[in-house]
Amino acid sequence: MQTFPNLASLKSQVGQEIGTTPYMTVTQEMINDFAKATQDFQWIHVDVEMAKQHSPFKTPVAHGFLTLSLAPKFMADLFKVESVKMGVNYGANKIRFTSAVPSGSQVRMRASLMEAEGAKPSGLRITMNCIFEIEGQEKPACVAELISMLYE
């Protein structure tokens, strides 16, 4: 994890890779809980037997938005700005789900700081290029430009 004393020190990292998180297992329990929270019970996510029989992956796969929703946890694993009192998700410029995440996969996130602009009051709007990688697979699961607001 990288620690920055303030927003100015984070801003100095524009154009740089911030880091890569440790791998995290995406379990079937996580997938089922996400299905409950979003009411998305498509069999490809929650029905192990149907997936074995009919899915090209032969196992359930995580919802794309479940993979994306790991971004705040992964961001917290990557860096901290000591002076920041609050951070919020602001949006996304681009999101692509480029590969399925089979249940039981190990996923991590690699992130680079693309932009950092001042925001009132006493804040910084950052845009991160986030690549969600699956262990042992060259093609990423998701590539996203995510925007956050950080306030001192």
Side-chain angles (χ1 to χ4, degrees):
M1 174 190 284
Q2 289 199 56
T3 302
F4 301 97
N6 53 43
L7 291 175
S9 62
L10 175 62
K11 189 174 182 176
S12 74
Q13 298 300 301
V14 169
Q16 302 296 313
E17 183 173 293
I18 299 299
T20 304
T21 67
Y23 282 105
M24 174 182 172
T25 304
V26 177
T27 66
Q28 187 61 48
E29 181 180 12
M30 288 171 64
I31 296 168
N32 293 344
D33 288 345
F34 192 84
K36 289 175 194 168
T38 61
Q39 296 295 291
D40 180 355
F41 295 104
Q42 188 179 154
W43 67 264
I44 196 163
H45 304 302
V46 297
D47 191 324
V48 175
E49 291 307 313
M50 284 281 289
K52 282 181 186 175
Q53 294 176 23
H54 302 291
S55 167
F57 311 108
K58 301 301 179 196
T59 187
V61 295
H63 306 71
F65 284 107
L66 167 56
T67 303
L68 183 63
S69 74
L70 297 174
K73 181 255 187 291
F74 284 148
M75 294 272 194
D77 290 346
L78 281 180
F79 72 96
K80 177 182 180 175
V81 180
E82 292 175 330
S83 64
V84 167
K85 293 179 178 57
M86 180 182 79
V88 295
N89 295 321
Y90 186 77
N93 289 331
K94 183 177 180 181
I95 300 167
R96 297 291 182 264
F97 301 111
T98 53
S99 185
V101 177
S103 178
S105 293
Q106 295 286 315
V107 176
R108 69 181 181 183
M109 188 180 81
R110 177 181 310 276
S112 300
L113 182 60
M114 297 173 57
E115 295 177 18
E117 299 178 14
K120 294 181 181 178
S122 65
L124 191 67
R125 183 175 62 232
I126 63 170
T127 303
M128 303 285 288
N129 182 49
C130 301
I131 301 170
F132 297 81
E133 302 173 335
I134 303 170
E135 186 176 39
Q137 184 172 308
E138 191 170 319
K139 189 174 184 179
C142 177
V143 178
E145 289 179 16
L146 303 178
I147 308 165
S148 301
M149 300 290 288
L150 304 176
Y151 296 100
E152 292 180 316

